[in-house]
Amino acid sequence: GAGVSQTPSNKVTEKGKYVELRCDPISGHTALYWYRQSLGQGPEFLIYFQGTGAADDSGLPNDRFFAVRPEGSVSTLKIQRTERGDSAVYLCASSPYGSEADTQYFGPGTRLTVL
Amino acid sequence: QKEVEQNSGPLSVPEGAIASLNCTYSDRGSQSFFWYRQYSGKSPELIMSIYSNGDKEDGRFTAQLNKASQYVSLLIRDSQPSDSATYLCAGTGGGSQGNLIFGKGTKLSVKP
């Protein structure tokens, strides 16, 4: 079956611009996670959705970052006034129920480069 | 600060040998642990999950969990060149359902 998909696969933008990254989870998965991964590091948690609501946004680094999941399926991560330090691979994952025992399935990621 | 620590490597083993990857975690509230494999330029894919103390075997892979020592390991038997990748250890964040805390990963190289 179809896995987690993310678009775009690559995004190059200029400092100060606004970007949107999209995640389409596995059909039927109620939980959706955003992580970001810098070179040589493990993924770093950003935000977790259970259905339409953000159950935990404690990983968002500052108020320039925002994410939505209006219909409980597709999610968009929005970054305002991008900075060079935002450059990373943004990974989306989904899991069936969001429980601690659930496996999270990762999408291919969006590589964001801020010039 | 909840942390998962891994030796970044690189760990180099000859083909057919056993590769041993180790991980420690700081949060005693973490209940579930996962090993992901990540090839260069690709996204993480699950290798093993483990929730209780002891060993869990799946094919050539064995995960071990010791909650008293806050230690997780992954053994890969009969290592193959195709096993060459970065292995990420992750634990759940304790109070937050499902939120994974990852280590930096251990780079494994299996030499033919």
Side-chain angles (χ1 to χ4, degrees):
Chain A
V4 178
S5 62
Q6 292 185 247
T7 55
S9 55
N10 278 284
K11 177 69 177 179
V12 180
T13 191
E14 293 180 344
K15 180 175 179 294
K17 298 290 188 183
Y18 168 82
V19 296
E20 290 189 352
L21 311 179
R22 175 188 166 108
C23 172
D24 202 338
I26 293 172
S27 178
H29 281 192
T30 63
L32 185 147
Y33 307 83
W34 284 98
Y35 296 85
R36 73 175 174 182
Q37 187 173 25
S38 300
L39 195 63
Q41 304 293 314
E44 174 192 19
F45 169 73
L46 296 177
I47 187 169
Y48 153 54
F49 286 90
Q50 182 61 260
T52 60
D56 184 351
D57 65 357
S58 62
L60 295 177
N62 51 59
D63 61 6
R64 295 187 298 106
F65 289 74
F66 189 70
V68 295
R69 193 186 186 200
E71 297 178 357
S73 178
V74 171
S75 176
T76 305
L77 178 65
K78 308 180 181 193
I79 311 174
Q80 299 178 325
R81 305 183 303 281
T82 51
E83 299 177 357
R84 292 194 180 88
D86 299 335
S87 296
V89 176
Y90 287 80
L91 294 165
C92 176
S94 71
S95 72
Y97 308 109
S99 72
E100 282 204 74
D102 265 5
T103 294
Q104 293 184 26
Y105 299 89
F106 283 83
T110 293
R111 182 175 297 278
L112 175 65
T113 303
V114 182
L115 301 176
Chain B
Q1 179 84 354
K2 299 174 183 177
E3 292 184 333
V4 173
E5 301 280 349
Q6 291 182 258
N7 186 327
S8 62
L11 174 65
S12 184
V13 300
E15 183 174 356
I18 295 174
S20 177
L21 305 162
N22 305 309
C23 165
T24 58
Y25 61 94
S26 65
D27 183 9
R28 287 195 174 275
S30 296
Q31 296 296 317
S32 304
F33 299 89
F34 304 85
W35 283 99
Y36 283 84
R37 177 175 64 197
Q38 187 172 31
Y39 292 113
S40 181
K42 302 295 185 182
S43 60
E45 59 176 323
L46 184 74
I47 297 296
M48 292 282 287
S49 58
I50 188 163
Y51 313 112
S52 346
N53 280 326
D55 295 359
K56 179 181 178 183
E57 186 175 319
D58 183 2
R60 296 186 296 113
F61 300 93
T62 299
Q64 299 173 317
L65 173 60
N66 183 326
K67 290 189 177 181
S69 300
Q70 295 175 247
Y71 175 87
V72 192
S73 67
L74 180 70
L75 298 177
I76 307 174
R77 288 180 298 282
D78 188 23
S79 295
Q80 301 297 309
S82 59
D83 295 327
S84 298
T86 295
Y87 288 79
L88 297 163
C89 174
T92 49
S96 174
Q97 287 187 327
N99 165 21
L100 290 178
I101 300 169
F102 283 86
K104 292 184 179 182
T106 298
K107 187 170 184 178
L108 173 67
S109 177
V110 181
K111 303 294 187 185

